[in-house]
Amino acid sequence: GAVVSQHPSRVICKSGTSVKIECRSLDFQATTMFWYRQFPKQSLMLMATSNEGSKATYEQGVEKDKFLINHASLTLSTLTVTSAHPEDSSFYICSARDDGAREKLFFGSGTQLSVL
Amino acid sequence: GNSVTQMEGPVTLSEEAFLTINCTYTATGYPSLFWYVQYPGEGLQLLLKATKADDKGSNKGFEATYRKETTSFHLEKGSVQVSDSAVYFCALSHSGGYNKLIFGAGTRLAVHP
């Protein structure tokens, strides 16, 4: 079946540094990808919708200057957490919608970010 | 606003036991409802879905019925296996598709031999 590769699976960084997370569709093209965040014991929350070749659409309350999204190709979207702080520590998950079967959504395995 | 509430885990069962994971939702109109499963080290996968009231979604022995009167979509399986150990997420979507999914917090299931 279709696979979405998300890297890294786990990252620890110092406060003030930036971290980039990659989301790659391996065997299909994805014009649209989604980024979610999950705090412990809370729901997966949609952060933004990433569109290839255009600006991402951010959900209310998500700082676009802090969470930079780049979707430069039909198979890759990146999320960069800039100037990370301990409160950004969370589980981040991406998903990609198959352009050839637009009702199908495939998820990455997630990235656990810990900011010290 | 729209939201999904599911029972806290972890749920620990012996093999062949009956499973119920409760899920209730708050939404206007008629959302589509989903259960996703995440096995260790893998991404979320769609397990089953229902798009209108009284629909029953089923897959791999799991079932869930869209109950509008109780705003629920409880997940059930008659006899769990060790291989069912995973995290289960209930979700809803108002777009009719999978664009904007609203998830519950997830319920971890551990099945022991």
Side-chain angles (χ1 to χ4, degrees):
Chain A
V3 176
V4 170
S5 175
Q6 185 175 342
H7 288 285
S9 59
R10 184 179 297 271
V11 59
I12 301 171
C13 69
K14 292 182 179 179
S15 189
T17 60
S18 294
V19 174
K20 180 184 284 188
I21 302 170
E22 288 191 352
C23 182
R24 195 179 297 271
S25 58
L26 297 185
D27 54 3
F28 64 95
Q29 293 185 328
T31 301
T32 303
M33 293 188 180
F34 304 92
W35 287 95
Y36 295 84
R37 178 172 54 185
Q38 184 181 28
F39 293 107
K41 296 190 177 182
Q42 296 186 27
S43 305
L44 274 167
M45 299 297 296
L46 179 65
M47 299 175 65
T49 302
S50 171
N51 300 295
E52 188 270 337
S54 65
K55 290 183 179 180
T57 304
Y58 290 81
E59 295 299 303
Q60 192 173 8
V62 178
E63 300 174 59
K64 63 179 179 6
D65 295 329
K66 182 168 185 60
F67 298 99
L68 300 180
I69 291 172
N70 186 293
H71 194 154
S73 79
L74 287 172
T75 59
L76 175 65
S77 176
T78 61
L79 169 69
T80 301
V81 183
T82 62
S83 186
H85 291 284
E87 58 265 30
D88 299 323
S89 299
S90 186
F91 191 62
Y92 294 85
I93 296 181
C94 71
S95 66
R97 190 171 69 190
D98 187 344
D99 284 352
R102 294 175 67 81
E103 76 284 2
K104 292 189 176 179
L105 196 63
F106 300 97
F107 284 79
S109 55
T111 298
Q112 182 64 54
L113 171 63
S114 299
V115 184
L116 305 178
Chain B
N2 299 327
S3 65
V4 175
T5 303
Q6 59 183 109
M7 64 190 290
E8 281 193 39
V11 173
T12 304
L13 295 173
S14 298
E15 208 164 22
E16 299 184 3
F18 185 86
L19 168 72
T20 300
I21 300 178
N22 290 338
C23 171
T24 57
Y25 68 90
T26 301
T28 55
Y30 303 93
S32 296
L33 302 174
F34 307 84
W35 276 101
Y36 280 82
V37 58
Q38 185 176 29
Y39 299 105
E42 299 182 17
L44 276 73
Q45 303 170 28
L46 179 64
L47 179 61
L48 54 85
K49 66 180 174 76
T51 57
K52 60 183 188 296
D54 300 324
D55 265 4
K56 178 186 284 188
S58 61
N59 186 23
K60 299 181 181 180
F62 291 88
E63 292 183 341
T65 301
Y66 189 141
R67 300 282 188 205
K68 185 163 171 52
E69 64 276 14
T70 54
T71 61
S72 65
F73 193 55
H74 304 321
L75 183 69
E76 297 182 338
K77 186 174 186 182
S79 176
V80 294
Q81 305 301 312
V82 173
S83 57
D84 294 325
S85 298
V87 181
Y88 292 82
F89 293 88
C90 186
L92 71 81
S93 170
H94 251 304
S95 64
Y98 300 68
N99 288 350
K100 251 181 163 180
L101 287 167
I102 297 170
F103 286 91
T107 302
R108 182 174 297 278
L109 170 66
V111 181
H112 297 289

